[in-house]
Amino acid sequence: MRDFIPVSQPSVTALETTYVLDALQSGWISSLGQYITTFEEQFAEYCGTKYALTTSSGTTALHLALESYGIKAGDEVIVPDLTFIATANAVAYTGAKPVLVDIEEDTLCIDPVAIEKAITPNTKAIIAVHLYGHPANMPEINRIATQHGLIVIEDAAEAHGASIHGRRTGALGHCGVFSFYGNKVITCGEGGMLTTDDEDLYCRARYLRDHAMSSTKRYWHDEIGFNYRMTNLQAALGLAQLHRIDDFLSQKQAIFEQYHYYLADIPNVKLNFTASWASNVFWLVCLEIEGLTEQERDQWMVELKQRGIDTRPYFCPLSAMPMYHDASVDTPIAHKVAQRGINLPSYFDLSDSDIAYVSNTVRTGLGYAAKPDIQLDAIALPCRCNSQHSPCTH
Ligand SMILES: *Cc1c(COP(=O)(O)O)cnc(C)c1O
């Protein structure tokens, strides 16, 4: 019997152990320390922004960004209906209203046309989520935002290293927000980062993150801030992961290429799509089966689990949930794809034979013959050309 294959699993090597042990033994185990500074500097450099600020999570980074921009009750923030709940919750924490709009069926990211329709005099910001590793259409979103004087926050929690025309996420809007939760592209255990070129925003966010303490009078506070700091131990883990990010990303590309080889010929199956202008990091492999009802999808996931394969359903549309339910929200695409999509095992240490096993179990489950194990040299690995076709000819 084959071992259970999870959807995600962090990769921890001697590098992570060395950095974390060094941080621990240095005595700097709280939220001051060299690893924090270095992680922030090198993450900013990686994204191509002037500043990066560590936070305790992706959710707190989002909340901090919104608070730093002064988003408050009475304001509206446009958010895609298909995302992790944190995107909308962070808006709700400020008292503002998350206005849920539909996504594009191919990229699964927020639809610029839907954004434009949702703008009102109360709209202050747009949160563009780079879902499952694919960047949202930032050139178009930025164009709309400029025209209407809106702030653009990238929720890049699932898309470290993804890019548009060579410019990486985190540097594509007014600010970017990342998560380092255990299943993300790189992890700190828990943690987050705010990236920006805007010095005022960076200073304001750093001040609010540290309880809004006066810089001239200790233990004096003019307003209510937060403790949203990361620890030096988390930063040590994050820095080691950042030093391995190229390996993570080329492996994710290779994993996707292999699934593509096995599954792309099945009619009615859609795998991750990559727009011509985008570089996708394939955080999770996405599989949608056209025509599947939610019940059938869930039953199929149970059957895969019985065969030792973990999967996860797509996010649920936020507008379906009680606290965000609103009859005026019209998001048919989010609702359609949410019920038929699953994510397949996508982690760094997944073996070629695991991918073959998962893929062929999917094939036979859908009534198609299994494919012979892939000839690894038939697809150029690790090719990052973002080819929609496999085998890649580069
Ligand atoms: C994971 C995630 C977050 C939240 O990050 P945490 O570090 O778990 O708080 C926010 N948005 C999206 C799209 C995510 O996937």
Side-chain angles (χ1 to χ4, degrees):
M1 179 63 187
R2 179 178 280 275
D3 288 342
F4 188 70
I5 305 173
V7 169
S8 335
Q9 177 177 285
S11 165
V12 174
T13 63
L15 190 68
E16 283 81 357
T17 311
T18 304
Y19 287 11
V20 173
L21 208 58
D22 181 50
L24 187 61
Q25 288 170 342
S26 74
W28 295 95
I29 58 173
S30 202
S31 52
L32 290 174
Q34 197 52 49
Y35 282 101
I36 303 253
T37 322
T38 311
F39 187 35
E40 288 175 343
E41 281 169 8
Q42 295 190 9
F43 198 81
E45 192 183 332
Y46 181 76
C47 294
T49 56
K50 283 198 193 128
Y51 307 100
L53 184 73
T54 47
T55 59
S56 51
S57 72
T59 308
T60 56
L62 271 170
H63 183 211
L64 195 59
L66 292 159
E67 288 284 348
S68 302
Y69 281 120
I71 305 288
K72 58 184 188 315
D75 294 339
E76 294 176 1
V77 177
I78 298 176
V79 171
D81 199 19
L82 194 74
T83 177
F84 181 55
I85 192 76
T87 316
N89 282 354
V91 176
Y93 299 160
T94 68
K97 181 185 178 195
V99 173
L100 304 171
V101 304
D102 215 352
I103 54 164
E104 299 175 328
E105 188 159 356
D106 49 9
T107 66
L108 304 178
C109 293
I110 192 164
D111 182 354
V113 176
I115 291 176
E116 211 151 20
K117 284 191 195 143
I119 294 171
T120 75
N122 296 326
T123 307
K124 291 285 162 16
I126 301 163
I127 304 182
V129 181
H130 308 312
L131 204 72
Y132 298 128
H134 190 289
N137 188 346
M138 297 305 294
E140 194 52 21
I141 293 166
N142 286 333
R143 187 193 63 74
I144 295 165
T146 305
Q147 199 180 332
H148 296 270
L150 306 177
I151 293 154
V152 179
I153 299 171
E154 291 175 78
D155 181 342
E158 306 179 354
H160 316 55
S163 61
I164 297 177
H165 303 313
R167 204 166 162 76
R168 289 202 172 116
T169 59
L172 299 169
H174 292 109
C175 73
V177 164
F178 292 84
S179 165
F180 305 114
Y181 180 67
N183 66 7
K184 299 294 163 83
V185 175
I186 62 172
T187 184
C188 295
E190 292 271 9
M193 193 80 85
L194 178 61
T195 56
T196 188
D197 282 337
D198 180 344
E199 184 174 359
D200 291 343
L201 174 74
Y202 168 73
C203 292
R204 176 95 185 130
R206 195 177 54 180
Y207 164 78
L208 288 177
R209 184 195 65 173
D210 298 336
H211 279 303
M213 183 149 75
S214 161
S215 59
T216 49
K217 184 172 176 182
R218 286 175 74 193
Y219 306 113
W220 182 262
H221 309 262
D222 282 316
E223 54 188 310
I224 300 173
F226 311 94
N227 172 2
Y228 281 172
R229 297 183 298 261
M230 177 184 278
T231 67
N232 200 43
L233 293 175
Q234 290 166 293
L237 181 50
L239 185 67
Q241 293 262 299
L242 182 61
H243 288 169
R244 298 176 57 212
I245 195 167
D246 290 346
D247 284 349
F248 290 138
L249 297 185
S250 55
Q251 184 63 11
K252 290 220 178 271
Q253 170 87 23
I255 288 168
F256 174 74
E257 294 274 349
Q258 290 182 61
Y259 276 120
H260 193 276
Y261 161 86
Y262 283 107
L263 299 172
D265 63 310
I266 303 174
N268 305 331
V269 159
K270 177 186 172 250
L271 298 170
N272 307 60
F273 170 89
T274 305
S276 60
W277 42 264
S279 168
N280 192 341
V281 289
F282 304 103
W283 171 55
L284 290 179
V285 173
C286 297
L287 174 79
E288 288 167 36
I289 301 186
E290 207 183 313
L292 214 60
T293 66
E294 183 165 351
Q295 227 178 0
E296 289 166 340
R297 190 266 317 262
D298 292 349
Q299 177 55 35
W300 187 44
M301 290 173 66
V302 170
E303 286 162 19
L304 289 170
K305 190 156 253 175
Q306 285 161 355
R307 289 173 174 74
I309 300 167
D310 189 28
T311 55
R312 49 179 253 180
Y314 273 17
F315 296 117
C316 299
L318 304 185
S319 62
M321 299 184 205
M323 60 287 193
Y324 297 123
H325 184 72
D326 182 339
S328 70
V329 174
D330 182 30
T331 53
I333 296 171
H335 282 263
K336 182 169 74 175
V337 302
Q339 65 164 20
R340 69 187 188 192
I342 64 171
N343 301 113
L344 297 176
S346 310
Y347 58 93
F348 183 73
D349 290 314
L350 199 62
S351 70
D352 298 336
S353 67
D354 287 336
I355 299 173
Y357 172 72
V358 172
S359 303
N360 278 328
T361 307
V362 166
R363 286 186 76 85
T364 50
L366 295 173
Y368 292 87
K371 269 197 172 187
D373 274 15
I374 198 165
Q375 295 297 305
L376 270 184
D377 49 6
I379 61 171
L381 299 180
C383 175
R384 308 242 10 240
C385 70
N386 258 318
S387 165
Q388 290 303 303
H389 307 287
S390 197
C392 166
T393 51
H394 288 197

